[in-house]
Amino acid sequence: MAGTDRAVEIELIRGAAQAFAEQARTDALASLVARGPDWDKVMDRAEFHGTIPLLRQSLSRLPQAIVPASVQQALAERCRDIAATNLLLTSRLTRVCAALERAGIRVLALKGPTLAILGYGELSLRQFNDVDLLVSPADLSDGLETLRHLGYEFAYRLTPSQQRHYARAMGQVPLHDARGTLVELHTSLTDTAYHFPLGFDDLWSRRQPVVLHDHTVSSLGNEDLLLYLAVHGTKHGWPCLGWVIDLVQLIARNGSTDWPRLLHRAIAMRCRRILLLSLWLARETLGLELPEAITQACRADRVALRLADERHRRLLDAGDGESGFALARFHLRSRERLRDGLTHVWTTIFSAHLSDWQAINLPSGWEFLYPVARPLRLALKYFRPTVQRE
Amino acid sequence: MADPDLFDRRFVKPSDVLVQELVGEAVLLHVKRGHYFGLNEVGRAVWKELMTGIPLRQAYEHLLTEFDVPPEQLQQDLTSLVHDLLSHGLLEDARA
């Protein structure tokens, strides 16, 4: 990991995100542009962090002469691609939701287009590449049948037994159509070994409508969505600045967050530290203003502060990916209850995952050997960095 | 005026087409065909005029006042753009 001076390229990406959020700070952004960044690196990092649209939006507010014409053109082309992809995925989402609803299946849209509208007010400012939908576990079978009628099949080459195991363990079924559109049908917000007890019926009772091109779909209520983003980001080690921006944008656009209730709910679900480290990370990285009570709660949890600082430095230092061992350590420390962290890490080590089935195809009836084969295979990766990104 | 019949027509967006406005431009996506079309600033202004339901002739007159373009050039550009959009299924005759 880099030590001292932070690269101007990543500071420019962060500056563009801050300029977008605050509709200001263009002078700070202009100063960063004046330092002559390597624009190839800027584009590469912005792509990785999912912030190309925000970068273009913020740079468009500067005097055009200071940004090279070739960069403006490249950004414009990429933004057109992103907009088209987002439109296509949105149309897929509304079509699938309509089909599920006709079949009498309650469905909640997660992230993707609905988060783009809730957090940014429009579809084009957020990058996404799949459709995530949540249904009740009792509706999974009917939901899969509905999607099969629409032309969606299981996205990976797995046996029926492996598919069932995948769905149980991961809490979701990945499907794709003939054009490669990926739809993930979830029955829980996280995989089953990661403690986050928000059931479908509770989420449904607090749902909110989101209008997507004259279609109305249901999505998580703002508080549930905030908690979900904190958990989702923490589970993956906060690899992308775009995910932190999502959190900041959602809070900013929903000015009426009931912070005491949110913290109380997080405590009840044993996700307090996850919430606090996520909010502190957003504060340190993008200047999110937190109410005094939350700031005090963060400062009272030194582990949360250290974890947020660690993730902040990792986000902004253009280092290599993170080893599985380092991520496991982060997971253990991010839970206020040790057992929750240990359960997740234990399952990560000993339960067969997609990568195991794809690497070692054991015949039917011999799946009991995966809990032995997996840790051996993982041991080879512990000291090799991996990029954790969904 | 080139192709006067075209300029008397009104147009609508087909139901299979989605539109997204960007900085200084717009993207039209034909969902079924899976291809998209980019409109620059002028193209976007044309599109917005057409979506109000006015005939192309009236849109042309509005755009003459908005953009510093020779009338003949604007006529040619409008004719070319509308034909492109019609051929790609991104625009439909309102009478259809």
Side-chain angles (χ1 to χ4, degrees):
Chain A
M1 199 183 293
T4 53
D5 294 326
R6 191 153 284 142
V8 63
E9 289 80 18
I10 192 64
E11 285 295 351
L12 199 158
I13 290 166
R14 177 162 73 146
Q18 288 172 312
F20 172 81
E22 299 178 20
Q23 300 287 308
R25 294 205 185 195
T26 51
D27 52 340
L29 188 60
S31 299
L32 288 165
V33 172
R35 284 166 61 182
D38 179 335
W39 286 104
D40 286 340
K41 277 187 189 169
V42 172
M43 293 291 288
D44 176 74
R45 290 288 88 198
E47 197 71 64
F48 176 82
H49 286 288
T51 60
I52 290 277
L54 297 188
L55 179 66
R56 187 187 179 211
Q57 185 90 330
S58 295
L59 290 179
S60 72
R61 296 197 193 113
L62 302 180
Q64 289 306 285
I66 74 172
V67 179
S70 60
V71 173
Q72 293 181 49
Q73 190 177 348
L75 278 171
E77 279 179 21
R78 189 67 191 103
C79 283
R80 282 194 289 272
D81 286 339
I82 289 166
T85 298
N86 289 4
L87 286 175
L88 192 65
L89 287 173
T90 301
S91 76
R92 297 283 189 265
L93 181 146
T94 56
R95 181 171 172 253
V96 169
C97 282
L100 289 169
E101 285 161 10
R102 280 195 301 273
I105 297 171
R106 297 173 299 166
V107 56
L108 291 166
L110 305 176
K111 298 183 288 165
T114 53
L115 181 53
I117 297 295
L118 292 170
Y120 300 80
E122 58 168 285
L123 285 174
S124 67
L125 292 173
R126 187 176 183 272
Q127 290 180 246
F128 47 92
N129 52 23
D130 61 13
V131 171
D132 290 279
L133 301 171
L134 180 73
V135 297
S136 166
D139 287 331
L140 178 62
S141 180
D142 289 343
L144 291 174
E145 191 57 33
T146 302
L147 275 135
R148 260 185 229 111
H149 283 303
L150 293 178
Y152 288 91
E153 299 175 343
F154 200 92
Y156 307 116
R157 281 180 164 265
L158 296 177
T159 65
S161 166
Q162 289 170 340
Q163 287 181 21
R164 283 192 295 275
H165 183 95
Y166 186 103
R168 267 198 315 272
M170 302 304 291
Q172 53 119 324
V173 180
L175 305 154
H176 64 182
D177 63 7
R179 288 186 179 172
T181 306
L182 181 63
V183 171
E184 294 181 342
L185 197 61
H186 298 252
T187 53
S188 64
L189 290 178
T190 62
D191 56 76
T192 48
Y194 199 87
H195 181 76
F196 185 44
L198 267 183
F200 184 86
D201 289 337
D202 283 338
L203 294 167
W204 182 257
S205 71
R206 293 187 291 267
R207 70 191 183 280
Q208 63 177 310
V210 179
V211 179
L212 301 171
H213 290 292
D214 300 330
H215 296 270
T216 301
V217 300
S218 296
S219 187
L220 303 183
N222 279 332
E223 248 182 47
D224 289 330
L225 184 53
L226 229 164
L227 287 167
Y228 174 51
L229 291 181
V231 166
H232 179 260
T234 301
K235 182 174 177 294
H236 291 277
W238 289 104
C240 304
L241 191 58
W243 293 9
V244 185
I245 297 169
D246 287 343
L247 194 65
V248 171
Q249 284 299 118
L250 188 67
I251 292 169
R253 283 183 65 88
N254 176 38
S256 60
T257 303
D258 187 334
W259 292 104
R261 184 171 67 196
L262 188 71
L263 186 56
H264 178 77
R265 289 185 61 199
I267 291 169
M269 287 192 291
R270 305 202 300 262
C271 299
R272 175 188 55 81
R273 181 167 292 158
I274 287 174
L275 177 65
L276 295 180
L277 81 87
S278 302
L279 292 174
W280 200 256
L281 173 63
R283 177 188 185 272
E284 294 295 286
T285 307
L286 294 170
L288 174 69
E289 282 189 23
L290 295 171
E292 185 55 31
I294 296 295
T295 302
Q296 284 181 11
C298 289
R299 290 203 166 116
D301 187 338
R302 289 173 184 249
V303 175
L305 293 187
R306 275 201 295 273
L307 293 177
D309 181 61
E310 172 192 304
R311 293 294 121 182
H312 169 77
R313 283 184 283 112
R314 173 161 283 286
L315 267 176
L316 300 185
D317 291 333
D320 295 333
E322 187 170 28
S323 73
F325 179 78
L327 190 58
R329 187 166 172 268
F330 170 72
H331 281 145
L332 282 173
R333 296 167 69 213
S334 70
R335 308 304 306 230
E336 52 263 41
R337 188 157 159 180
L338 181 62
R339 192 177 81 180
D340 293 331
L342 282 174
T343 302
H344 174 71
V345 172
W346 179 270
T347 307
T348 300
I349 294 172
F350 292 104
S351 286
H353 286 61
L354 176 66
S355 48
D356 302 299
W357 296 316
Q358 291 175 328
I360 310 166
N361 190 10
L362 292 173
S364 179
W366 291 86
E367 292 92 349
F368 65 90
L369 287 176
Y370 279 120
V372 176
R374 176 169 170 81
L376 290 175
R377 196 177 66 77
L378 284 182
L380 294 174
K381 289 176 67 177
Y382 272 161
F383 298 104
R384 266 192 247 150
T386 57
V387 176
Q388 292 283 339
R389 185 171 183 219
E390 190 173 276
Chain B
M1 175 170 283
D3 199 349
D5 178 56
L6 183 75
F7 276 70
D8 290 332
R9 288 157 63 182
R10 303 167 196 262
F11 300 94
V12 293
K13 177 181 76 70
S15 59
D16 283 333
V17 173
L18 298 176
V19 184
Q20 178 66 55
E21 294 210 17
L22 304 176
V23 176
E25 56 182 332
V27 163
L28 309 180
L29 172 77
H30 194 293
V31 173
K32 277 196 179 151
R33 297 185 191 182
H35 61 231
Y36 76 87
F37 199 90
L39 296 175
N40 61 14
E41 190 179 352
V42 177
R44 186 176 72 169
V46 171
W47 179 267
K48 280 182 155 180
E49 289 284 343
L50 291 179
M51 289 304 106
T52 63
I54 58 177
L56 183 58
R57 185 184 310 281
Q58 207 172 326
Y60 160 75
E61 287 160 5
H62 289 170
L63 291 163
L64 263 184
T65 65
E66 192 176 333
F67 294 100
D68 184 20
V69 180
E72 296 77 17
Q73 183 66 51
L74 184 58
Q75 279 178 35
Q76 283 176 18
D77 289 346
L78 277 182
T79 303
S80 174
L81 175 62
V82 170
H83 278 310
D84 270 344
L85 293 175
L86 287 169
S87 69
H88 285 95
L90 296 166
L91 201 63
E92 264 177 4
D93 197 304
R95 295 172 301 185

